[in-house]
Amino acid sequence: MKRRQLIMTALGCLIALVAYAQETVMMNTGNIVSPEINANGTVTFRLLSPQAKDVRLLASFLQGNGVQMQNDGKGLWSYTSEKLMPELHTYTFVVDGLRIVDPSNVYMLRDIATYQNYFLIDGELSANYFVRDVPHGTVSKVWYPSPTLGFEQRRMTVYTPAGYNEPPAGRGAASRQLKRYPVLYLLHGAGGDENAWSELGRAAQILDNLIAQGKAEPMIVVMPNGNGGQQAVPGEYPNSMVKPSFRNSRTMDGAVEAAFVPDVVNYVDSHYRTLADKQHRAIAGLSMGGFHSLYISANNPDTFGFVGLFSAAITRGNPQGDYAYIYQQLDDKLARQFANPPYYYIAIGDKDFLFKDNVDYRHRLDKAGYRYEYVETGGGHEWRNWRCYLNQFLPKLFKKK
């Protein structure tokens, strides 16, 4: 009898749980479509909030405090945009002063400590941001030792191209060695982590598509965590249930640059089938990652044959501490680096707050007669530009001079 009661009680709990789950799904989404991409290129956003007094839309394609949404009188708030450019767009709602994500849209991205919804509009500019019917690479979260930074384990994201793990085909395949690949080290900005480029940057999709089109060489792409005091993305290592922040210890004091070759590059070369020479290594990064890329490559002039600075945080004032040498005698280091010149790419938006710093750095290179490619776009310090720069930079890599 008791056993039967226990079974009936458990069954009742299960039914209640299923009913609650179904009710939660219905309450969150109902039949509301949001966002709805219309045939004319506009996008309609909707939110059911009958008790709200004011609802606003904040979006990457809107300025300032966004726009006020309209209530249909029954609590359904909506707004239809102008025609939007092909791009990955992000947005959130503000309901009576409280910022929330769209309950009708399951697609979300974390940018530092903020979640936002996103959607993609297809077109020439965004064509490579979509998952297409092409061979796909593998994205792995890899733990590695970092004794230079004092960690037994740190984490990085590694992309290996389609076919990396496949044995060679054809007669006598068993006796052939597996193919070796060039490597791009791709660095994030302040507040980012090893997830930034693979999620916000659509790096895997861009690589899959460019490689399939024959526009980029098949390559390994290593996306490390550039925060020197952090083992991995918050919540993914011991005692790390903290709010992500712009500021992380040992991030721009030279320690990351000092650790890069001995900890990251050497690990990758010993655990992956790499072509371990200058002409088959590249380094690039956005903002803080551009800063790191500049100084890592300058301090290791025989290591990287390709350098990309995307909206780079160029300047460095009065360095002090154990790793101050990383930032000193930059002109001498650039001279050694450009003695066997790398392909050097600098890109920035004309409204970026780092624009003048990049102009000054280009004047420094110009004065010394160093060659580089410069790309200036519209817009500011934003992922819209950095995805575009990656899309342009990848086809330049590992080509025969």
Side-chain angles (χ1 to χ4, degrees):
M1 185 68 180
K2 289 184 178 179
R3 183 180 179 186
R4 183 179 179 185
Q5 287 177 337
L6 287 172
I7 292 173
M8 293 302 292
T9 300
L11 182 61
C13 290
L14 179 61
I15 293 171
L17 181 62
V18 171
Y20 173 77
Q22 290 177 335
E23 180 183 359
T24 301
V25 170
M26 292 305 294
M27 285 192 301
N28 284 344
T29 61
N31 295 318
I32 297 171
V33 177
S34 177
E36 182 176 4
I37 301 174
N38 304 309
N40 62 358
T42 64
V43 179
T44 300
F45 304 85
R46 299 181 179 91
L47 177 69
L48 182 62
S49 186
Q51 305 303 317
K53 302 293 191 296
D54 179 77
V55 178
R56 302 187 68 81
L57 172 72
L58 301 181
S60 56
F61 52 86
L62 295 172
Q63 299 295 318
N65 294 320
V67 296
Q68 188 171 39
M69 299 176 69
Q70 300 300 310
N71 191 339
D72 69 351
K74 298 179 182 179
L76 181 63
W77 300 78
S78 64
Y79 170 79
T80 298
S81 72
E82 297 180 350
K83 183 177 180 179
L84 298 181
M85 66 180 294
E87 184 50 84
L88 184 153
H89 299 278
T90 58
Y91 73 98
T92 54
F93 297 130
V94 179
V95 180
D96 294 337
L98 177 66
R99 185 167 178 164
I100 66 169
V101 294
D102 185 347
S104 298
N105 185 358
V106 299
Y107 301 106
M108 290 186 288
L109 294 169
R110 178 179 63 84
D111 192 0
I112 308 175
T114 302
Y115 270 96
Q116 302 175 81
N117 294 105
Y118 77 92
F119 60 94
L120 286 155
I121 293 184
D122 206 349
E124 184 178 357
L125 293 175
S126 64
N128 290 332
Y129 304 165
F130 284 77
V131 177
R132 305 293 188 187
D133 189 12
V134 298
H136 298 294
T138 299
V139 177
S140 305
K141 303 300 180 181
V142 178
W143 291 92
Y144 69 100
S146 183
T148 310
L149 288 175
F151 291 109
E152 291 185 4
Q153 292 189 90
R154 298 190 79 232
R155 197 174 79 165
M156 56 186 171
T157 299
V158 179
Y159 168 92
T160 50
Y164 178 84
N165 292 315
E166 295 177 7
R171 299 177 64 182
S175 64
R176 296 181 197 165
Q177 290 186 342
L178 293 174
K179 181 179 177 181
R180 292 186 173 271
Y181 293 86
V183 185
L184 165 64
Y185 294 88
L186 187 59
L187 313 184
H188 62 78
D193 46 55
E194 73 272 21
N195 288 353
W197 268 111
S198 61
E199 295 180 2
L200 290 156
R202 306 292 284 185
Q205 291 82 6
I206 293 171
L207 283 156
D208 283 348
N209 289 317
L210 285 175
I211 292 170
Q213 296 161 17
K215 294 179 179 178
E217 295 294 315
M219 68 185 78
I220 298 167
V221 180
V222 178
M223 295 162 270
N225 189 313
N227 304 303
Q230 194 180 72
Q231 288 176 263
V233 56
E236 296 292 333
Y237 63 98
N239 303 315
S240 66
M241 299 297 290
V242 297
K243 182 178 180 179
S245 170
F246 270 110
R247 304 298 176 195
N248 288 279
S249 63
R250 300 189 71 183
T251 295
M252 296 178 78
D253 68 349
V256 170
E257 293 95 321
F260 202 85
V261 170
D263 292 1
V264 179
V265 175
N266 288 349
Y267 178 88
V268 171
D269 283 341
S270 64
H271 287 75
Y272 291 85
R273 298 193 312 278
T274 67
L275 293 166
D277 58 54
K278 178 174 180 175
Q279 289 311 308
H280 293 96
R281 285 199 202 96
I283 188 168
L286 69 92
S287 192
M288 180 187 79
F291 169 90
H292 283 152
S293 297
L294 190 163
Y295 286 99
I296 290 169
S297 65
N299 280 277
N300 299 276
D302 298 320
T303 304
F304 303 97
F306 303 82
V307 179
L309 310 183
F310 307 164
S311 305
I314 297 288
T315 58
R316 180 72 196 175
N318 300 320
Q320 297 178 349
D322 293 341
Y323 301 102
Y325 72 91
I326 295 290
Y327 310 117
Q328 294 170 352
Q329 298 177 318
L330 179 59
D331 287 328
D332 292 340
K333 292 174 181 178
L334 288 173
R336 290 193 293 273
Q337 183 178 14
F338 279 87
N340 178 14
Y343 168 73
Y344 213 84
Y345 173 96
I346 301 172
I348 194 166
D350 59 8
K351 296 178 180 61
D352 197 302
F353 71 94
L354 294 170
F355 185 80
K356 184 180 183 303
D357 291 340
N358 277 254
V359 169
D360 292 344
Y361 183 64
R362 288 193 297 113
H363 287 164
R364 185 178 201 158
L365 298 179
D366 291 340
K367 185 178 179 180
Y370 302 142
R371 295 182 62 183
Y372 58 89
E373 181 173 354
Y374 176 62
V375 174
E376 185 176 309
T377 61
H381 209 69
E382 53 194 329
W383 276 104
R384 180 186 66 165
N385 275 341
W386 302 326
R387 286 187 290 266
C388 176
Y389 302 155
L390 181 64
N391 210 49
Q392 294 177 355
F393 184 65
L394 288 171
K396 308 287 188 176
L397 301 182
F398 316 123
K399 307 292 186 182
K400 293 182 179 179
K401 293 184 178 180

